[in-house]
Amino acid sequence: MDGEARGKWVYAFGGGASEGRSGMKNLLGGKGANLAEMANLGLPVPPGFTITTEVCTAFYDNDRQYPDGLKEAVAEALSKVEGVTGKKFGDTTNPLLVSVRSGARASMPGMMDTVLNLGLNDETVSGLAKLSGDERFAYDSYRRFIQMYGDVVLGVPHHTFEEILDTYKDDRDYVLDTALSAQDWKEVIAQYKAAVQEELGRPFPQDPQEQLWGAIDAVFGSWMNERSKTYRRLNNIPAEWGTAVNVQAMVFGNMGETSATGVAFTRNPSTGERKVYGEFLINAQGEDVVAGIRTPQNLTKEAREEQGSDEASLEEAMPETYQELSDVFSKLEDHYRDMQDIEFTIEEGKLYMLQTRNGKRTAKAALKIAVDLCAEGKISEDEAVLRVDPAALDQLLHPSLDPDAPRDVIAKGLPASPGAASGEVVFTADEAEELANQGRQVMLVRVETSPEDIHGMHAAAGIVTARGGMTSHAAVVARGMGRACVCGAGDLRIEKDGSKFSVHGREVRKGDQITIDGSTGEIFFGAVPTIEPELSGDFAKVMEWADKHRRMRVRANAETPLDAKTARGFGAEGIGLCRTEHMFFDADRINVVREMILAESEQGRRVALDKLLPFQRSDFEQLFEEMKGLPITIRLLDPPLHEFLPHGEAEIADVAKALGREVKDVKERLSSLHEQNPMLGHRGCRLAVSYPEIAEMQARAIFEAGLASAEGAADPVQPEIMVPLVSTKKELDLVKAVIDQTAAKVFAEKGSKLNYTVGTMIELPRAALTADKIAHTAEFFSFGTNDLTQTTFGLSRDDAGSFLPAYLRQNILDQDPFVSLDQEGVGQLVAIGAEKGRSVRSLIKLGICGEHGGDPASISFCEGVGLDYVSCSPYRVPIARLAAAQASLVLRQQNEASS
Amino acid sequence: MDGEARGKWVYAFGGGASEGRSGMKNLLGGKGANLAEMANLGLPVPPGFTITTEVCTAFYDNDRQYPDGLKEAVAEALSKVEGVTGKKFGDTTNPLLVSVRSGARASMPGMMDTVLNLGLNDETVSGLAKLSGDERFAYDSYRRFIQMYGDVVLGVPHHTFEEILDTYKDDRDYVLDTALSAQDWKEVIAQYKAAVQEELGRPFPQDPQEQLWGAIDAVFGSWMNERSKTYRRLNNIPAEWGTAVNVQAMVFGNMGETSATGVAFTRNPSTGERKVYGEFLINAQGEDVVAGIRTPQNLTKEAREEQGSDEASLEEAMPETYQELSDVFSKLEDHYRDMQDIEFTIEEGKLYMLQTRNGKRTAKAALKIAVDLCAEGKISEDEAVLRVDPAALDQLLHPSLDPDAPRDVIAKGLPASPGAASGEVVFTADEAEELANQGRQVMLVRVETSPEDIHGMHAAAGIVTARGGMTSHAAVVARGMGRACVCGAGDLRIEKDGSKFSVHGREVRKGDQITIDGSTGEIFFGAVPTIEPELSGDFAKVMEWADKHRRMRVRANAETPLDAKTARGFGAEGIGLCRTEHMFFDADRINVVREMILAESEQGRRVALDKLLPFQRSDFEQLFEEMKGLPITIRLLDPPLHEFLPHGEAEIADVAKALGREVKDVKERLSSLHEQNPMLGHRGCRLAVSYPEIAEMQARAIFEAGLASAEGAADPVQPEIMVPLVSTKKELDLVKAVIDQTAAKVFAEKGSKLNYTVGTMIELPRAALTADKIAHTAEFFSFGTNDLTQTTFGLSRDDAGSFLPAYLRQNILDQDPFVSLDQEGVGQLVAIGAEKGRSVRSLIKLGICGEHGGDPASISFCEGVGLDYVSCSPYRVPIARLAAAQASLVLRQQNEASS
């Protein structure tokens, strides 16, 4: 990829026309494409240009060298900006200042670097002063530039500048920055420059060109910083996409009381209500709002009144500009046909648009906006279905606070991300991650959050901050992750040593339980009980539309009647995986299971199995009752044996006593059962082959329960009996023979029959590769992608923890293959298995029952392979329904496009 | 499959013409096809007919029901036999008697059932008496028939009859069976019949048709008996092949002193010498010779003199018949162009041929016969190469007795199967298997062996019997298995309680060491030292011819200079797998390795690695010296970490002391390194990704050693550096970068360069499935079929012992997939990997380095897939060379046939 071959590295925008447009996101990044599009729409966009993502890719492919021709292209684009603005970069009398910002294909808020006011130096600053007629503004801008450039580009620590400024203010008893005069800023600037000289051994760069390339380097460089990598990993953004760099003429929201800067959503991103929603700060630069340092004002009068704020809204303070902005909102919504997230600046009363993009929203808002846009005639039903991120539904599917439960409110903040959650209080991201890894539920409490806290926010059940607004880092990230979040709870006083916080005279120590309601902003002491969500209204409407388009069935993985009921409530169309070994963990059963495992003869096993039969039968009866009329796939015993066995002296002694055996004997048997690699050991159908009496007992329980529940029922359950861990057809033949013989026996005893089928998990590479053989016997396949992932990668899920995180960090794997199906490798085996299965038995029923059955990307893959159903955990059923509908719609669109 | 569709279930032979021929082995079995062929050649074959193997298959496919039309076809064929012989089945004056014998596609000596003299009953026996003029012979035949049919068909235990006969003889002070008169046999027969009546509650069947179908049922039934299944499993014979049943008119070798029965090989099956070799018994039935109950006489005078026997040879006793037989030998050898194994009977001076087949032979004999037949112009060089079973070469490649070692001969028997072996004496097959499973070398000592002993013979290093000849069960089976064997050591007195044997007044107790030389028949007390075989003469000639036709290269898996030297001596053309972790097990290194593993920082690991570097470099220097001019594939560290770690308190304390660390710390680190499934854990390239410094040290050792050995050498080693356990291209990219950087550094330091390549093991399903991606980086692939088998089957080699034997017994798997490549499953991945690799890098070097690289069937598969080389253990190199040549020849023949 060289400059000559590619030709175009830089795209100009502004001045009434653009070289790019909104469809070019992959090349220009989201910000660049939308700036171009807004300029094309005739909206007031400061002119600028975008350096493409291909430059980023070339930069990293070519050992951090830029492609040939880039320098010239940038120079040319910059001179265009000079033409439009009538200013000149580096000119001492009429200097052009620019911002340099990242802009990737997908939004990565706050992850990468930004530099504002670039082009200022000891000479241009005085030009700016004269031009603006405001010397204080000019030197304030310059000191901001040195601070930002010093930190971001030159690597001088942030605190170096902060300390200089604090000392300067303390010495003069200044409290607020606004107290500093132009002269003060000049002195601060001198100290800043001295600090840079001392830190780096060279002066702060005065050459605007050097400044510009330094900033471009820094932005491209920030694509590979740790927090960007983490964000990409959590959000499944490939490193190969790269970022674009946007260089744009500066406009100033900090040129006095007629200047302002703000952010807005065209609808409420939390509820979806069709009301302008946003915040602004008078006399401020853009980053001040997002950073959440000053608490901003409302855009509309209505919002101000609702929040009981005394600060004038933009609607009241600058009614004409507000009207102009409001018209822009309508124009953008009509154009993009979606809710927009907008950044704007008002420079001495003149409005400038700095960004628009489809706004992030809560699941609830996504549903409402999709339904409303459809009602408004802006989008079709199909589009509405495609507009809702299935994974985000997760937020709606979890419990909220029980309204009748007693609660002890200790504080209130902003309702930044909906949902209720309880957890142990921790004060650092590391603590949050550590405790979460121990399986504990934690609540991360911070003054404010920063990108460095992402791993802790991911680990936490909920997030509380003492500072920052609804668009602060914490709020944006929490909504994206579906974590409950209360922001800006200003009454919290958090101890610096991370031991506790106090609020209104009460103390909450690390480790104490608190509960938050992200929909109200309330914080409660202790763990408040929660209740299941009610799913209706917009949710029901979108799901109804989705179900119209869905081809694949959605089933649930469930063993208990409660799980089955939950799943059915969420719309599950059957059970895709009933793991019978999970039915044996109860206290009254586990000793019988142990007796069976420890038995050394068929006779001994049969004694234990006879005791297990009534338990198992009654479990199935309850499950069949709950799932009447729907199919249930029951997997025969696939125990990781060691999970059932006693560990430690005391437990072994207990078991020996319970079984009436010598401790020594039990230990010997345990030792003979020990396996080097239990995952690759004597499990699955291998047990049923060795001990057919186990399969026989289970088949009997299924058939007896099935006949009992079929009595007088119009729509009896149809059990699908699934044999696990098959690697050869003959294994399945043997186990199927046991099942069929047992069926014949039970049917003869009871004088009644039941329809059933026998199939297998395809969870070993060999099963997928020989699926054409296995399908001669198997009446259905269920792809067990958990085990299939383990064996295809040669990677134990239990042991991957020691290196898989590093693999994700180093981008060796884009995603955790146990979370989202590895389509390139494991997916090939699923496709091979499906194809070979159908080659022999054209109507063979095909499903998936690994964790992947609830993952939207994996569901989309399953649609492509033509599976008949996916099966997932009960709470993910709605997600799977929506994802399956989307996959079906997308596939149809692709087919239409290619035909 | 029904009678009408198939038409022909029965093929007649004899009377000068046959419906079958020798090419129809799959349908008629070996015995049936060759009987038909001999009859076609005009040789004296008693007439009969063959019921096809398809009947057997249909019988088992159809719940042990015969296909329609079989009864009629058998009746028709039987009447043809009546026509040729002029006798009538069931006729009381001129009765036709028949034998009913199994006959599968592949020889399974002694595994299945046989019934002789069928057709005798209380009435036909007197017809036989009149016809033969020998009442004693007739009643002896009848009692033999009742005994054999009672045991084989009716299931009356053998000892029931033996006890009756022993009691009868004891009561009358008879010692030998020959002492019994016709009247005596009549009385014994009466008692036999009474015993059958008592045991079964019904009389011994008198209806010859009922007898015939009972025997046919029994023979087909014996296809699925346990010993047949074991034999098939050990010899890789599919159960689907089925057996044929041969019904043939009886001829009698036991009609007095002018009658005899015998077996012969047209050449010596032990040495290959072109000398008739065989044994016969006068006045006996065929089974008497094979069963090894009476010690038989030699066929030729020369053989008798060599053995110092006093019993007349056939050449001396019946010179005319011997001459006739000798002519038949020539005719058969000319016709079949191979050494024949023949059974014959002489009935009152008239010769009958009962069987011919290509004779089993030792590897040494196979080589000599192939070379001789080629020299005689009977076969081509190509055919000679194809005539030698590569696996059998194993016999030649193992040590023989050191001629200079002191030896203490305690007995001498027949040299039944060549090779020398030592082991602990055991007296039962079960003991042999048990101790062998503990890794001990055992010598199985038996009075005689039977098919029930096969598992013990397989487990033993050698076999000794006190009774039986060169064609006894023990001798035939031992030669087939390549076990050293001394037969008929008649001086051994074995205690019934299995505690010891005595010989010439000396006692050898269970557990004592003895040594045997299967080429001389000598038995020694104690373990006699052995020496390496010399491979020349016929071996060298056949290998030379083989190498002409071989396409694939053969390399060895070796780490030590000694192994490398052995491999090179056997013709290895390089090293295909140098497992560097094996270089670390020495006492002076393991503690350094432990230090490295237990280190908790890169710094700590580097300290240990610096200590390992000189060891590793010097190892490579020696290896490179040994393999000058040949390629060496060096696999980077792939340790099963736990194999290096200390276990048990004492060892942990030692290690802690050696490392200067606290026991507690070492234990903590050990516990943090513990893995649930080490096979799927943090190993292979995952270690090099986590700790690049390990790969760096190894690469440095390789390059430094390579440069040192290249100094002044005309043909320096070309190291091929192999990265293990790769599942994604990026892993390989990362490790290759470390190797390339290290190379650049070392080459700069030394001012000299070396050619090297970097490639990967394909040993995970994902690697095979994404080989097109990986081949962008990998310069070669080596299929690591051990691990690939584990992951494809989801089967741990360490843990499979608890159920894999049962899987083989139950025919779920035809073969142990760790011994012979599972072509259906694992083979698909090898083929996919090879194809995808070549799709990206058309000349990519492809090899295999699992255990399968030395298995002939797997090698044939590799030829089909077009691999460039196989790599195996040094002792299997000649086997691989021959197998690769055969695979190449067979493929060429197939291509020629299909073009």
Side-chain angles (χ1 to χ4, degrees), chain A residues 649-666:
Chain A
E649 295 291 330
E651 219 185 346
I652 291 173
D654 280 356
V655 169
K657 200 176 161 198
L659 302 185
R661 292 174 63 172
E662 295 286 326
V663 168
K664 190 173 80 35
D665 294 350
V666 170

Side-chain angles (χ1 to χ4, degrees), chain B residues 556-565 567-568 574-580 583 615-635 702 705-706 709 717:
Chain B
N557 301 347
E559 294 81 37
T560 66
L562 179 64
D563 279 355
K565 193 187 171 81
R568 205 164 182 168
I575 286 179
L577 180 62
C578 166
R579 290 153 291 207
T580 52
M583 296 169 148
F615 289 127
Q616 183 103 77
R617 183 175 47 220
S618 122
D619 285 347
F620 287 135
E621 277 174 9
Q622 291 175 54
L623 201 60
F624 292 174
E625 184 60 32
E626 203 61 66
M627 297 305 287
K628 248 184 206 160
L630 295 177
I632 298 192
T633 307
I634 299 162
R635 182 176 71 186
I702 293 166
S709 81
V717 151

Side-chain angles (χ1 to χ4, degrees), chain A residues 27 88 109 130 164 244 250 268 449 529 731 763 814 850 853 881:
Chain A
L27 186 64
K88 219 168 152 49
K130 275 178 218 152
I164 290 170
M250 282 296 299
N268 184 317
T449 64
E731 292 171 312
E763 55 185 332
D814 288 332
R881 283 164 66 198

Side-chain angles (χ1 to χ4, degrees), chain A residues 256-334:
Chain A
E257 295 304 309
T258 59
S259 296
T261 191
V263 298
F265 290 88
T266 56
R267 302 182 187 227
N268 184 317
S270 192
T271 65
E273 264 188 308
R274 196 179 180 183
K275 281 184 186 170
V276 169
Y277 178 91
E279 299 163 328
F280 78 107
L281 282 170
I282 288 187
N283 198 13
Q285 278 203 331
E287 313 304 300
D288 300 340
V289 184
V290 177
I293 292 167
R294 282 161 59 189
T295 299
Q297 296 156 250
N298 294 297
L299 283 187
T300 63
K301 182 162 174 264
E302 184 182 346
R304 178 185 64 73
E305 285 168 353
E306 263 174 24
Q307 287 203 1
S309 165
D310 296 331
E311 304 277 339
S313 66
L314 185 68
E315 190 174 4
E316 295 157 307
M318 306 184 188
E320 278 172 37
T321 314
Y322 174 76
Q323 188 53 50
E324 191 185 346
L325 185 61
S326 187
D327 293 344
V328 169
F329 290 167
S330 299
K331 199 161 185 176
L332 287 174
E333 259 215 358
D334 287 348

Side-chain angles (χ1 to χ4, degrees), chain B residues 136-170:
Chain B
R136 187 190 173 286
F137 155 72
Y139 284 92
D140 182 21
S141 297
Y142 190 24
R143 73 91 192 174
R144 284 173 185 255
F145 171 56
I146 296 174
Q147 216 171 308
M148 200 176 241
Y149 194 92
D151 177 19
V152 165
V153 180
L154 303 178
V156 177
H158 196 52
H159 64 81
T160 308
F161 301 110
E162 273 176 355
E163 278 162 19
I164 289 170
L165 183 55
D166 284 350
T167 309
Y168 190 90
K169 281 156 73 179
D170 284 354

Side-chain angles (χ1 to χ4, degrees), chain A residues 550-570:
Chain A
R550 182 158 56 84
R551 185 193 59 79
M552 288 193 293
R553 297 276 165 188
V554 174
R555 300 193 189 182
N557 301 347
E559 293 81 38
T560 65
L562 180 63
D563 280 354
K565 192 185 170 80
T566 303
R568 205 165 182 170
F570 278 137

Side-chain angles (χ1 to χ4, degrees), chain B residues 566-589:
Chain B
T566 303
R568 205 164 182 168
F570 278 138
E573 295 160 300
I575 286 179
L577 180 62
C578 166
R579 290 153 291 207
T580 52
E581 62 279 3
H582 286 206
M583 296 169 148
F584 291 146
F585 280 116
D586 278 11
D588 53 347
R589 302 171 183 197

Side-chain angles (χ1 to χ4, degrees), chain B residues 601-745:
Chain B
S601 69
E602 183 183 330
Q603 179 53 30
R605 271 186 301 277
R606 284 199 182 272
V607 168
L609 287 166
D610 286 348
K611 297 183 204 164
L612 283 174
L613 177 62
F615 289 127
Q616 183 103 77
R617 183 175 47 220
S618 122
D619 285 347
F620 287 135
E621 277 174 9
Q622 291 175 54
L623 201 60
F624 292 174
E625 184 60 32
E626 203 61 66
M627 297 305 287
K628 248 184 206 160
L630 295 177
I632 298 192
T633 307
I634 299 162
R635 182 176 71 186
L636 297 187
L637 196 66
D638 182 11
L641 281 184
H642 59 277
E643 285 185 19
F644 281 97
L645 292 175
H647 302 284
E649 294 292 330
E651 219 184 347
I652 292 173
D654 280 357
V655 169
K657 201 175 162 197
L659 303 185
R661 292 175 63 173
E662 293 287 323
V663 167
K664 191 174 77 40
D665 294 349
V666 170
K667 279 190 182 168
E668 264 174 27
R669 180 71 180 150
L670 285 176
S671 138
S672 81
L673 287 170
H674 174 77
E675 296 189 307
Q676 292 287 330
N677 297 285
M679 200 56 75
L680 306 177
H682 195 190
R683 49 177 286 240
C685 71
R686 295 164 192 169
L687 278 176
V689 168
S690 302
Y691 311 130
E693 55 275 13
I694 299 177
E696 194 185 312
M697 180 283 281
Q698 294 203 288
R700 175 169 284 276
I702 293 166
F703 294 126
E704 289 183 354
L707 288 176
S709 81
E711 248 173 58
D715 46 6
V717 151
Q718 285 197 15
E720 301 168 343
I721 302 176
M722 181 154 73
V723 180
L725 214 75
V726 159
S727 62
T728 67
K729 171 178 178 288
K730 284 188 183 167
E731 291 171 310
L732 182 60
D733 290 345
L734 283 175
V735 182
K736 182 170 189 294
V738 172
I739 295 167
D740 290 343
Q741 283 155 16
T742 307
K745 228 183 269 177

